[in-house]
């Protein structure tokens, strides 16, 4: 009986009351920080920031879990970066595909002559032998005038 008495005394003690108050305060702080976090995160992702933060306010902790499941996968910045990267890769690919100015068939960057219509496409530098455009008057690699 004495231990039970001790436990009951502990629950009635000012220390316990202080601890519960601290715990409740801690929960409140945690709750409000999830609301603020949800707001900023949803804003970054271009989601409905106000709706989501209100949702986490009405449903403490569960709201933020639901948000984490349903939030947009990438932030606006990430989405922009990804589309930029995609554009860049696509432009690289398009650059690699060249067409003969005479017959329009596909040719490679280092072709000297079109294999289909025999149009001269590039000339070789008389000094270093690298491929030059037909209208270049000087080799940009070795400065040899053409
Ligand atoms: Zn051609
Ligand atoms: Zn050269």
């Amino acid at each position: 009986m004495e231990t039970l008495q001790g436990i009951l005394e502990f629950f009635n003690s000012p220390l316990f009351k202080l601890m519960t108050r601290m715990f409740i305060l801690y929960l409140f702080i945690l709750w409000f920080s999830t609301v603020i976090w949800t707001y900023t995160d949803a804003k970054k992702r271009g989601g409905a920031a106000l709706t989501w933060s209100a949702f986490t306010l009405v449903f403490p902790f569960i709201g933020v879990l639901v948000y984490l499941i349903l939030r947009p996968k990438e932030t606006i910045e990430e989405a922009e970066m990804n589309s930029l990267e995609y554009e860049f890769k696509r432009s690289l690919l398009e650059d690699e595909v060249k067409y003969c100015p005479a017959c329009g068939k596909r040719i490679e960057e280092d072709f000297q002559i079109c294999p289909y219509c025999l149009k001269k496409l590039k000339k070789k530098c008389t000094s270093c032998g690298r491929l030059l455009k037909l209208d270049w008057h000087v080799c940009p690699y070795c400065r040899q005038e053409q």
Side-chain angles (χ1 to χ4, degrees):
M1 283 309 272
E2 235 168 58
T3 39
L4 188 68
Q5 193 79 29
I7 290 165
L8 282 175
E9 254 166 44
F10 173 73
F11 280 121
N12 282 320
S13 69
L15 178 70
F16 179 74
K17 274 175 190 159
L18 183 73
M19 276 167 66
T20 39
R21 260 179 218 158
M22 290 292 281
F23 184 66
I24 289 164
L25 185 71
Y26 167 77
L27 283 181
F28 264 98
I29 292 167
L30 207 65
W31 173 26
F32 277 110
S33 45
T34 62
V35 174
I36 291 159
W37 179 84
T38 307
Y39 180 80
T40 49
D41 191 77
K43 213 169 187 187
K44 259 193 272 173
R45 285 161 204 275
L50 270 176
T51 313
W52 274 118
S53 53
F55 187 70
T56 49
L57 193 73
V58 177
F59 302 100
F61 307 112
I62 291 162
V64 76
L65 280 177
V66 174
Y67 169 71
L68 277 172
I69 296 162
L70 295 177
R71 70 175 180 175
K73 278 198 178 59
E74 36 181 39
T75 64
I76 294 171
E77 251 172 60
E78 281 166 350
E80 270 173 7
M81 283 301 285
N82 282 343
S83 72
L84 271 181
E85 208 174 311
Y86 173 77
E87 284 294 320
F88 179 64
K89 278 182 184 160
R90 217 185 55 163
S91 74
L92 275 184
L93 275 176
E94 273 174 4
D95 250 21
E96 274 165 23
V97 181
K98 298 260 174 196
Y99 298 94
C100 169
C103 68
K105 290 218 167 91
R106 265 185 77 164
I107 50 166
E108 306 266 313
E109 176 69 41
D110 51 357
F111 280 5
Q112 284 188 61
I113 194 166
C114 171
Y116 305 104
C117 68
L118 306 180
K119 184 185 163 52
K120 214 178 163 199
L121 302 164
K122 295 251 169 92
K123 59 184 175 187
K124 260 189 176 177
C125 169
T126 51
S127 170
C128 73
R130 293 180 85 155
L131 289 175
L132 312 177
K133 285 190 177 168
L134 289 174
D135 53 354
W136 288 359
H137 299 299
V138 66
C139 171
Y141 305 106
C142 71
R143 296 181 176 195
Q144 172 68 44
E145 276 184 41
Q146 302 296 309

